[in-house]
Amino acid sequence: MMDDPRRDGPPPFDKPFEGEDTKQRVYGAVLHAREPMTAAEIADRADCSAESARTHLSFYADLGIVVRHEGRPVRYERNDDYFEWRRVNTLARERTLDELQSGVSELTDRIEAFRDEYDADSPAAVDVLAFDAGRIDDVYADLGEWATAIEERRLHERARRKVAGSTAPSHG
């Protein structure tokens, strides 16, 4: 029996949700969407009927995972607030207050190192074209890591405050 070389790798680009059930494919299609989409567009990406997509999208909208935009046609998009809430709750559940504080400190140090290296307050303030052409890819990678560190620090701080609030002594 020959091994399929793609078996351990990512799914084919043209069918990224192959092998998953319809509910998972619709979920994946919404997560990967960059803008609000109709049920028919999502169904096309999820390789299912528009009616099946609408059923699952309605379920996800009730859970707050997707936002339904009324109109003709109705459009759906992922609810980024839901995923942020979920990430914060996961961090708060899986990490101690000390681990979260340490994470905030490490991320702050990393952000400060980027600020010092690029002499800028944020990734958006860096003029990439001012760098040598051979270094532009590295600069873009750094700016992506910097932006990610800023976002992760914000989420870690929210989780830290959540944990600190739940462990604060009650006054009664």
Side-chain angles (χ1 to χ4, degrees):
M1 183 170 151
M2 290 188 62
D3 287 331
D4 181 355
R6 295 180 304 159
R7 191 176 192 170
D8 294 327
F13 187 73
D14 59 336
K15 294 190 183 253
F17 311 115
E18 192 170 48
E20 296 179 353
D21 68 23
T22 303
K23 189 175 189 179
Q24 291 171 321
R25 292 193 315 267
V26 169
Y27 181 81
V30 170
L31 291 185
H32 289 90
R34 299 284 183 226
E35 58 191 31
M37 298 173 65
T38 66
E41 291 168 326
I42 292 168
D44 187 50
R45 288 189 182 189
D47 193 26
C48 67
S49 70
E51 188 55 39
S52 184
R54 269 191 280 288
T55 299
H56 295 299
L57 290 165
S58 178
F59 172 74
Y60 291 136
D62 288 346
L63 292 177
I65 295 170
V66 300
V67 176
R68 177 186 162 114
H69 298 284
E70 296 299 333
R72 288 211 174 270
V74 172
R75 295 189 179 275
Y76 300 87
E77 71 178 320
R78 72 174 175 256
N79 182 355
D80 290 333
D81 292 338
Y82 166 82
F83 291 98
E84 182 174 308
W85 167 84
R86 193 167 122 182
R87 173 81 169 124
V88 168
N89 282 316
T90 299
L91 285 169
R93 184 178 62 252
E94 294 178 353
R95 301 205 179 153
T96 66
L97 184 59
D98 288 341
E99 289 171 331
L100 290 166
Q101 183 56 52
S102 177
V104 169
S105 295
E106 289 170 15
L107 290 161
T108 298
D109 291 346
R110 188 167 188 175
I111 292 164
E112 289 302 320
F114 282 123
R115 285 180 178 156
D116 291 345
E117 180 177 349
Y118 289 98
D119 192 28
D121 289 331
S122 71
V126 176
D127 179 9
V128 177
L129 298 178
F131 291 89
D132 179 73
R135 188 158 175 246
I136 285 180
D137 288 342
D138 293 333
V139 172
Y140 275 122
D142 282 352
L143 297 181
E145 289 176 30
W146 186 0
T148 298
I150 290 169
E151 179 64 10
E152 278 298 305
R153 180 180 66 179
R154 189 179 68 76
L155 297 174
H156 275 70
E157 179 58 28
R158 281 189 58 198
R160 187 198 66 76
R161 286 193 312 264
K162 180 178 179 72
V163 170
S166 69
T167 59
S170 59
H171 301 293

